[in-house]
Amino acid sequence: MNKKVILSGVQSTGNLTLGNYLGAISNWKKMQEDYECNYMIANLHTLTIRNNPETLRNNTLNLLALYLAAGIDPKKSNIFIQSQVPEHAELNWVLNCYTYVGELSRMTQFKDKSAKHADNINSGLFTYPVLMAADILLYQADLVPVGEDQRQHLEITRDIAERFNNLYGETFKMPEGYIPKIAARIMGLQDPTSKMSKSSSIPNDSIFLNDEPDVIMSKFKKAVTDSENIVRYDTENKPGISNLISIYGAISGKTNAEVEKEFEGKGYGDFKKAVAECVIEELRPLQTKYKELVSNPEYLKQIYVEGANKAKEKAEKTLKDVYSKIGLV
Ligand code: ATP
Ligand code: LTN
């Protein structure tokens, strides 16, 4: 039986957060049994911000180690580095010519990131969703597991695919988003009304995957809550506590109601400590494995070389079809 195809990726910007893990990477592992999975390191997307070349190289390999440490198994899933499969950049150019400036101007991520990096509003930042569409459409992906913030980029991917298919006949599979029910949008611990972000400038707002246990505990203890002192899910009035319930629920597999029940009659102090402990325990094996893997560059190389070869085989087919349909000799 043909398995459905999955494609997803994370930018190699370093210091991933608990949001990246719970919203995206931790779900990828669960999907590898039932789907044909392709997990990419989106290092071309990372060029939309200025990087030190050595840092970008290290971040790329570190992210590969993190995928493996998080349980992505190269025997079950194809893991590769975006820049090593040139078809991504090639299809990106073609799709750029089938994407309107008007639709790109509506992207909220572009607006947010332009505001954050006012000194470097480059064209790559503007056409970022087109490269993402190329990533997805090259593999004829059925499903794209991402966090809530990527929903708009999936919609534009579908619009581009549909436009192309209408012009040239069935070429691209219509991909669907696969956005988790819980933890699709983990919020900042200090500002629980904005998403937890790697680039947050607020101290103690984000939990990083390489934070030491005592740092994790201290960040959770400082997390902003409210004065009710009742563990109750209510994003409107209690965004801080609701965020902690989501984190605890995502890791323990419990529903919001179950978490509320477990902490009935207990105060925020106990609850925060329990959330911190479950995060520390969830990350502990990942951190240990990660340290082992980053010290084994030969092994990492073997994974990404094989990954790129397999990815190329799939990507080539789609690109050839596209070139032929649009009339490139
Ligand atoms: P930045 O925080 O700097 O804007 P980012 O973390 O959103 O960057 P990526 O590294 O490309 O950018 O995101 C990787 C994946 O993590 C995506 O699927 C994204 O939806 C998901 N993700 C990012 N932040 C969160 C969050 N706070 N909660 C849940 N999922 C998230
Ligand atoms: N833009 C994505 C990262 C990304 C991606 C993709 C995700 C690049 N290409 C293809 C899914 C499919 C983000 O999460 N910020």
Side-chain angles (χ1 to χ4, degrees):
M1 222 178 60
N2 274 350
K3 285 184 176 175
K4 285 198 169 177
V5 177
I6 293 228
L7 179 122
S8 197
V10 168
Q11 297 185 66
S12 45
T13 24
N15 58 347
L16 292 210
T17 69
L18 188 63
N20 299 129
Y21 177 72
L22 295 179
I25 299 173
S26 69
N27 300 308
W28 298 358
K29 179 183 162 188
K30 301 174 197 150
M31 306 179 102
Q32 37 183 13
E33 307 299 336
D34 301 324
Y35 299 92
E36 180 191 316
C37 297
N38 301 282
Y39 297 127
M40 172 190 87
I41 292 154
N43 63 340
L44 294 175
H45 279 105
T46 312
L47 299 178
T48 52
I49 54 166
R50 284 283 167 268
N51 299 281
N52 170 295
E54 206 44 44
T55 311
L56 176 56
R57 236 187 306 274
N58 287 333
N59 284 343
T60 305
L61 295 179
N62 292 350
L63 185 54
L64 172 62
L66 191 85
Y67 283 9
L68 299 170
I72 315 289
D73 178 350
K75 290 199 194 75
K76 297 179 184 158
S77 301
N78 196 34
I79 308 173
F80 65 96
I81 299 172
Q82 187 185 29
S83 63
Q84 297 192 333
V85 184
E87 284 78 2
H88 290 251
E90 294 177 88
L91 185 61
N92 172 49
W93 170 253
V94 174
L95 297 184
N96 256 321
C97 302
Y98 295 85
T99 307
Y100 296 111
V101 169
E103 55 190 346
L104 287 173
S105 311
R106 289 193 289 272
M107 295 293 118
T108 52
Q109 179 176 298
F110 173 69
K111 291 183 210 165
D112 292 349
K113 299 234 157 156
S114 310
K116 255 193 202 167
H117 307 281
D119 56 333
N120 183 19
I121 306 176
N122 59 70
S123 319
L125 195 62
F126 188 61
T127 59
Y128 179 112
V130 184
L131 178 58
M132 181 160 159
D135 299 335
I136 297 168
L137 300 177
L138 269 179
Y139 298 87
Q140 307 289 348
D142 296 280
L143 291 173
V144 184
V146 283
E148 179 63 42
D149 61 323
Q150 296 300 308
R151 194 184 283 280
Q152 208 184 17
H153 290 165
L154 296 176
E155 277 161 18
I156 198 174
T157 299
R158 290 168 58 87
D159 290 342
I160 298 169
E162 188 173 40
R163 185 169 304 140
F164 195 97
N165 287 349
N166 284 340
L167 286 167
Y168 301 102
E170 207 55 28
T171 309
F172 299 123
K173 179 85 73 61
M174 273 298 171
E176 306 267 351
Y178 194 99
I179 297 171
K181 289 203 177 65
I182 34 176
R185 194 171 166 82
I186 298 294
M187 309 308 266
L189 297 186
Q190 291 300 315
D191 175 9
T193 60
S194 316
K195 82 160 192 168
M196 183 181 285
S197 163
K198 336 171 163 152
S199 47
S200 170
S201 51
I202 314 169
N204 302 313
D205 198 44
S206 302
I207 299 285
F208 295 105
L209 296 184
N210 58 2
D211 276 346
E212 295 292 339
D214 58 330
V215 174
I216 297 179
M217 182 58 82
S218 129
K219 285 183 178 174
F220 275 109
K221 281 189 176 160
K222 289 181 190 135
V224 167
T225 51
D226 54 77
S227 55
E228 195 185 43
N229 213 25
I230 297 174
V231 177
R232 185 167 62 79
Y233 191 84
D234 172 354
T235 48
E236 186 98 344
N237 300 306
K238 295 163 72 73
I241 282 295
S242 303
N243 188 39
L244 298 184
I245 293 176
S246 297
I247 294 173
Y248 191 76
I251 296 175
S252 65
K254 291 181 181 152
T255 62
N256 294 343
E258 285 166 343
V259 180
E260 286 173 355
K261 191 143 196 356
E262 186 178 340
F263 292 94
E264 216 172 69
K266 294 191 182 139
Y268 289 169
D270 287 345
F271 180 51
K272 285 176 166 183
K273 196 160 163 271
V275 179
E277 277 165 1
C278 91
V279 170
I280 291 168
E281 289 319 313
E282 173 77 9
L283 297 183
R284 195 188 299 280
L286 181 145
Q287 293 180 340
T288 311
K289 194 126 194 275
Y290 174 78
K291 281 182 196 144
E292 274 168 37
L293 286 159
V294 285
S295 63
N296 193 349
E298 280 308 309
Y299 176 65
L300 296 178
K301 185 168 180 190
Q302 185 193 327
I303 304 284
Y304 71 66
V305 169
E306 273 174 28
N309 287 338
K310 278 196 232 157
K312 207 174 153 49
E313 249 174 58
K314 303 182 193 182
E316 233 167 31
K317 278 199 199 123
T318 304
L319 190 71
K320 263 197 189 142
D321 186 30
V322 168
Y323 275 17
S324 145
K325 282 186 167 140
I326 58 181
L328 295 181
V329 175

